[in-house]
Amino acid sequence: MTVIVEKPVFEIEENIKNINLDTNELVLDAGFKMPESKLVSENGFSTPETNAFGNTFRDYDAETERRKAVEEFYKQNHIHQTVDFVKKMREEYSKLDKVEMSIWECCELLNTVVDESDPDLDEPQIEHLLQTAEAIRKDYPNEDWLHLTALIHDLGKVLVHPSFGELPQWAVVGDTFPVGCAFDESIVHHKYFELNPDHHNPAYNTKCGIYSEGCGLDNVLISWGHDDYMYLVAKENGTTLPPAALFIVRFHSFYALHRSGAYMHLLNDEDKENLKWLHVFNKYDLYSKSKVRVDVEKVKPYYLSLINKYFPSKLRW
């Protein structure tokens, strides 16, 4: 099956923000409402200023009850994510011999997971998946592949479940980054890389490390977690989602790249094209983290139809 993906249109701020004249509220097209004072403009988009906790998004220094736990999470993550560890995890989980189930069954299983690395969200994961998907669906009604990508992008977090080996959260969630080359200073809680043995290995601690400029991200080892795992699941089960969708799934937590512009020297031309779609997706992935609820049963038939379109009925995980 061939899927033709149109290039995204980026002059879309008028699609992102509307004004409800009756309530004087700004309304994100997905239906998320906030007072005007709570929205800020970023790169042409009007976005909410505060997350589900009332704090600035991705503020890892905010004095919240989760701050210390999030920092400890990243300490463990940065110590243990090495080249050898990533190779070991990819070899083990590429076997896809843990469970056989459908995409929707995985969504329901994920409902028991709360991401310890996320300073913006403490809701069950299925809430976030549907919030993101519904927001994109509203603004990009004709890009059904993007709606489904939003639904599945975090499904790899089931790695914390006993059926999948019950990996520690530092090996499942959090921002991702390349291993095998220098850890960029834009990575959150960068100081803890001092405790990572690869940081002191001359073969791994230069700008390119074991890679070459323009080699393409397909040839780069990324810290192990739910992103890379879900990418392997989708690819090996023969999804017909387009390459841009797989790129989003694999790199949506790679904030050093799509938020800070680091590691651009490793991208090839195809990566750069797909990065445009990742920038679009990230706005919805980040700023839909609110207390707005989604009626799961109401939207379920639509997403089941997309799953049937792009995936087999049962997948190996």
Side-chain angles (χ1 to χ4, degrees):
M1 175 180 179
T2 301
V3 179
I4 300 175
V5 182
E6 296 182 359
K7 291 185 177 180
V9 178
F10 295 98
E11 294 76 31
I12 59 173
E13 48 266 50
E14 292 305 317
N15 290 332
I16 300 296
K17 182 182 73 174
N18 293 312
I19 298 178
N20 185 326
L21 297 179
D22 295 329
T23 62
N24 199 32
E25 290 178 321
L26 291 176
V27 183
L28 295 177
D29 270 0
F32 302 124
K33 298 182 180 180
M34 284 194 176
E36 186 169 0
S37 61
K38 293 295 184 181
L39 283 95
V40 294
S41 179
E42 179 181 340
N43 298 331
F45 292 81
S46 296
T47 53
E49 183 179 348
T50 57
N51 60 21
F53 297 103
N55 301 312
T56 304
F57 284 91
R58 289 181 59 81
D59 186 348
Y60 290 93
D61 296 317
E63 290 297 331
T64 68
E65 60 185 35
R66 298 193 71 195
R67 184 184 67 80
K68 290 183 179 179
V70 170
E71 183 168 351
E72 178 60 26
F73 162 88
Y74 275 107
K75 179 179 179 181
Q76 297 304 316
N77 174 275
H78 292 353
I79 290 173
H80 297 293
Q81 290 279 1
T82 64
V83 169
D84 288 343
F85 175 75
V86 171
K87 287 182 176 179
K88 178 182 177 181
M89 291 294 100
R90 288 195 112 238
E91 180 180 2
E92 169 63 24
Y93 283 92
S94 64
K95 297 173 185 176
L96 302 180
D97 59 357
K98 309 302 179 187
V99 177
E100 185 173 295
M101 62 181 170
S102 68
I103 290 288
W104 193 263
E105 286 172 330
C106 188
C107 289
E108 293 177 334
L109 182 62
L110 195 67
N111 207 28
T112 63
V113 174
V114 174
D115 185 340
E116 292 178 1
S117 73
D118 195 336
D120 298 323
L121 188 70
D122 65 352
E123 298 289 347
Q125 292 299 307
I126 196 169
E127 298 278 347
H128 167 56
L129 298 180
L130 288 172
Q131 285 175 348
T132 306
E134 284 295 281
I136 292 177
R137 180 183 175 189
K138 181 69 175 180
D139 289 348
Y140 290 86
N142 298 321
E143 307 292 349
D144 68 355
W145 66 271
L146 194 56
H147 313 163
L148 183 58
T149 301
L151 180 71
I152 70 169
H153 77 282
D154 275 348
L155 292 188
K157 291 180 180 180
V158 294
L159 286 172
V160 304
H161 193 273
S163 299
F164 293 80
E166 203 168 6
L167 291 180
Q169 288 227 359
W170 62 258
V172 178
V173 297
D175 289 14
T176 59
F177 44 84
V179 296
C181 60
F183 301 114
D184 191 82
E185 291 187 0
S186 65
I187 302 170
V188 61
H189 292 304
H190 177 273
K191 60 186 177 183
Y192 292 118
F193 285 120
E194 287 285 343
L195 303 174
N196 184 309
D198 286 1
H199 179 71
H200 305 284
N201 186 333
Y204 298 150
N205 62 13
T206 62
K207 180 180 179 180
C208 285
I210 60 177
Y211 313 112
S212 59
E213 292 201 16
C215 65
L217 292 182
D218 276 346
N219 298 304
V220 175
L221 289 172
I222 303 294
S223 56
W224 176 253
H226 71 281
D227 308 58
D228 207 22
Y229 177 59
M230 188 60 208
Y231 163 77
L232 291 173
V233 170
K235 180 182 178 183
E236 297 304 318
N237 279 282
T239 182
T240 54
L241 284 170
L246 295 180
F247 187 91
I248 289 170
V249 169
R250 194 177 191 184
F251 301 116
H252 68 270
S253 299
F254 192 177
Y255 275 87
L257 171 67
H258 62 73
R259 184 70 174 247
S260 302
Y263 300 104
M264 288 294 295
H265 60 284
L266 298 178
L267 274 61
N268 60 24
D269 290 341
E270 183 179 3
D271 294 332
K272 292 173 183 176
E273 284 300 310
N274 288 332
L275 183 58
K276 295 175 183 179
W277 277 112
L278 181 53
H279 281 142
V280 170
F281 173 83
N282 179 247
K283 294 294 178 181
Y284 298 89
D285 185 23
L286 179 61
Y287 293 116
S288 65
K289 294 175 180 178
S290 69
K291 292 295 185 182
V292 177
R293 308 303 293 269
V294 175
D295 187 336
V296 177
E297 292 305 313
K298 182 178 179 180
V299 301
K300 181 178 178 179
Y302 174 70
Y303 289 101
L304 286 177
S305 72
L306 296 188
I307 292 168
N308 291 334
K309 178 178 179 179
Y310 290 105
F311 282 96
S313 58
K314 293 286 186 179
L315 284 72
R316 293 176 295 113
W317 299 78

